[in-house]
Amino acid sequence: MTNKKKYVLVGAGGRARFFYSAIATDFRETTELLALCDVNQTRMDYAKQQLEQKYNYPEVRTYKPDAFDTMIAIEKPDAVIVTSIDRTHHTYIIRAMELGCDVITEKPMTIDEEKCRQILDAVEKTGRNVRVTFNYRYAPHHTKVRELIEGGAIGKVNSVHFEWLLNTKHGADYFRRWHRDKRNSGGLLVHKSTHHFDLVSFWIGSEPETVFALGDLLFYGRENAEQRGVTQFYDRATGNPLAEDDPFALHLDRNGRLKAMYLDAEHEDGYLRDQHVFGDGISIEDTMGVLVRYKNKAILTYSLNAYSPWEGYRISFNGTKGRLEMSIMEQSYVNSGGDKALEGAIKNKEIRMFPMFDKPYEVEVVSGVGGHGGGDPVLLSDIFGEPAEDKFKRAANHLDGARSILVGIAANRAIRTGQPVKIADLLKG
Ligand SMILES: NC(=O)c1ccc[n+]([C@@H]2O[C@H](COP(=O)([O-])OP(=O)(O)OC[C@H]3O[C@@H](n4cnc5c(N)ncnc54)[C@H](O)[C@@H]3O)[C@@H](O)[C@H]2O)c1
């Protein structure tokens, strides 16, 4: 087949596998992966070896970041897939567009207002497309909520109460990895909550206007552990007797993939993926509360906790004709540590409708199979499959990417200053 869409991918870590395995299997007829780009050759070689040995895929070339332009010149891709660490997204998104490519980027689109502005300017200047892969939109129960609200089932939504819980396995993982440094991830209100703020806009069909937030590191980190009486600390878990009985420890040498991707690769860049969650140097929050007013006057009260005994969320929408409640328990996971189809897969789900003057009833939705509530496989078809009309308009662009991170970026500013932040003010200048 000659008119396959050609891709290169930047950032050959855990999330990269989601895209390259799809290209090498279900979408082999419509897509082609030509090259990988990463600071770490060992991780690129691991991905390359997976492609060849597991999927019998032809050899892909590898490039270091300083050869990004050369890669684009040689490979001539239609689009660049960006799955590198968050703080680097804008560099590749912007350069790819300047060199004539479209972009598919992982969330968060970027981590601060300055980089966001640069991306929006580059889209304007180049006329290229940026697609942000908000897989949660595609989970069948999330799509159903949009359909119900859009169809007027609870009237105009005036308030949303949203509590998201990350547990001591998946939530803890952010405190072992590069995310623990706010300069890399923007903190969880950007890195993680971008999904949640995107969903709220998607569901209620409005844009955020004003944000206030409080947040702190109250559980992870050395100081908190010391205050609880802990006296034993270590830098990294792998091979460390001090970590042997620590339920928060991740031992990279006990999982083949984690060993190959991170332990065997760390001699190149010094990146330790198994740091102590009660160690020093954590600059992100683990306990957060956010208030948002939307342009349609709806009010969101949101909370995120990263050390919960269970993983999932509860949300309720109060409308002029009734109330919609959803409660979801998700499968817990460690990035790259297991089957990616289980990442955020559903364990338990309840959706209940309370019409204002009628009997409450359960909303039945067939559960999606696969990661992120069954959203992952549907998203992949939308990106890599034959183009099709989507009545739910789930494909997210640079504006959706910006809208959702700006809530987290505004929340970070509110946490720093103690003042409410207008989203429009973030993009001035
Ligand atoms: N949508 C989702 O559900 C989902 C799930 C997981 C991860 N993600 C996103 O995917 C991205 C990657 O996360 P991950 O879990 O794969 O992390 P990871 O640490 O496994 O991989 C990140 C990769 O980026 C590379 N990298 C670092 N600096 C770079 C640079 N300057 N240039 C090029 N490459 C560089 C690292 O070497 C590493 O291979 C993040 O943005 C994350 O938010 C999204």
Side-chain angles (χ1 to χ4, degrees):
M1 210 171 150
T2 49
N3 55 353
K4 288 183 181 183
K5 218 162 175 196
K6 292 186 285 177
Y7 296 95
V8 296
L9 181 149
V10 187
R15 191 59 178 166
R17 191 162 62 103
F18 172 69
F19 293 99
Y20 71 66
S21 62
I23 290 176
T25 54
D26 296 350
F27 303 97
R28 214 164 167 139
E29 291 303 310
T30 49
T31 61
E32 195 175 0
L33 181 67
L34 303 170
L36 303 170
C37 173
D38 198 297
V39 280
N40 194 298
Q41 188 65 45
T42 309
R43 259 192 298 281
M44 286 198 280
D45 290 343
Y46 175 78
K48 203 171 130 166
Q49 179 222 55
Q50 289 286 298
L51 278 161
E52 288 168 20
Q53 295 180 1
K54 198 162 172 201
Y55 305 110
N56 195 22
Y57 202 73
E59 187 176 347
V60 295
R61 285 163 289 276
T62 59
Y63 298 83
K64 288 288 186 74
D66 60 356
F68 180 81
D69 286 16
T70 311
M71 172 175 77
I72 301 295
I74 293 175
E75 310 294 348
K76 298 183 178 46
D78 297 299
V80 175
I81 302 172
V82 180
T83 54
S84 52
I85 66 172
D86 304 350
R87 116 176 111 70
T88 67
H89 288 182
H90 69 297
T91 315
Y92 297 112
I93 293 173
I94 293 169
R95 193 63 189 142
M97 290 194 286
E98 287 171 350
L99 295 174
C101 303
D102 288 331
V103 176
I104 295 171
T105 182
E106 260 306 343
K107 47 57 55 175
M109 189 169 79
T110 186
I111 58 167
D112 62 38
E113 58 270 46
E114 178 57 32
K115 297 181 181 71
C116 181
R117 226 181 285 140
Q118 290 170 13
I119 293 173
L120 298 181
D121 288 348
V123 173
E124 187 102 336
K125 217 159 78 191
T126 62
R128 307 304 316 188
N129 291 318
V130 175
R131 176 98 188 245
V132 184
T133 52
F134 283 125
N135 37 1
Y136 268 119
R137 287 182 173 206
Y138 293 82
H141 49 290
H142 291 165
T143 307
K144 183 72 186 172
V145 167
R146 178 181 169 109
E147 192 182 13
L148 287 167
I149 292 176
E150 207 173 35
I154 54 169
K156 176 184 174 292
V157 175
N158 285 335
S159 67
V160 182
H161 191 57
F162 197 175
E163 177 188 35
W164 198 288
L165 302 166
L166 298 166
N167 75 354
T168 44
K169 189 171 178 189
H170 178 222
D173 213 29
Y174 296 112
F175 297 82
R176 300 183 187 112
R177 308 205 284 154
W178 49 265
H179 313 65
R180 75 206 303 266
D181 184 339
K182 208 164 185 175
R183 291 171 304 182
N184 286 332
S185 63
L188 292 176
L189 286 172
V190 173
H191 175 82
K192 187 70 194 168
S193 309
T194 181
H195 272 306
H196 315 150
F197 298 136
D198 175 65
L199 282 173
V200 174
S201 282
F202 174 69
W203 281 326
I204 69 171
S206 188
E207 296 184 24
E209 187 191 62
T210 308
V211 177
F212 183 69
L214 295 169
D216 212 334
L217 183 69
L218 298 176
F219 180 71
Y220 297 112
R222 183 165 180 146
E223 206 181 341
N224 291 314
E226 278 175 355
Q227 278 170 13
R228 292 192 297 269
V230 176
T231 54
Q232 200 151 278
F233 296 90
Y234 57 87
D235 51 358
R236 56 110 42 104
T238 304
N240 195 334
L242 293 176
E244 206 46 57
D245 298 322
D246 179 5
F248 287 93
L250 182 72
H251 300 274
L252 298 178
D253 52 350
R254 297 179 193 171
N255 176 301
R257 186 179 301 122
L258 290 175
K259 178 176 179 303
M261 287 181 63
Y262 303 105
L263 190 59
D264 297 349
E266 61 190 39
H267 65 279
E268 284 191 50
D269 55 13
Y271 172 52
L272 304 182
R273 200 230 172 281
D274 59 344
Q275 294 171 76
H276 191 200
V277 300
F278 301 114
D280 264 329
I282 296 174
S283 53
I284 62 171
E285 298 82 13
D286 57 17
T287 311
M288 291 142 276
V290 184
L291 258 181
V292 186
R293 182 193 271 290
Y294 286 78
K295 287 188 176 165
N296 70 353
K297 294 200 164 28
I299 297 166
L300 166 71
T301 45
Y302 169 86
S303 95
L304 180 64
N305 177 294
Y307 45 93
S308 160
W310 63 275
E311 173 115 351
Y313 52 98
R314 291 204 169 116
I315 185 159
S316 44
F317 302 86
N318 296 303
T320 52
K321 291 187 184 167
R323 174 178 163 96
L324 176 60
E325 292 179 1
M326 175 162 66
S327 178
I328 305 284
M329 192 177 270
E330 288 190 346
Q331 192 86 34
S332 175
Y333 65 99
V334 165
N335 275 69
S336 308
D339 181 352
K340 68 182 160 32
L342 295 180
E343 294 190 0
I346 291 197
K347 260 171 100 175
N348 194 37
K349 155 174 115 271
E350 272 174 34
I351 308 177
R352 195 166 290 168
M353 182 70 89
F354 297 82
M356 213 170 243
F357 295 108
D358 238 325
K359 274 201 191 131
Y361 60 92
E362 300 288 329
V363 177
E364 299 296 336
V365 186
V366 177
S367 284
V369 178
H372 297 91
D376 280 349
V378 193
L379 167 81
L380 286 171
S381 289
D382 199 27
I383 298 177
F384 295 135
E386 297 294 343
E389 184 64 29
D390 178 13
K391 71 171 173 166
F392 301 111
K393 303 205 176 352
R394 288 171 292 191
N397 65 14
H398 57 292
L399 298 175
D400 300 302
R403 204 173 283 133
S404 59
I405 49 171
L406 286 170
V407 181
I409 292 167
N412 279 335
R413 187 183 280 192
I415 290 171
R416 278 196 312 273
T417 62
Q419 301 296 320
V421 177
K422 292 226 182 281
I423 297 283
D425 291 346
L426 289 176
L427 290 179
K428 279 186 189 150

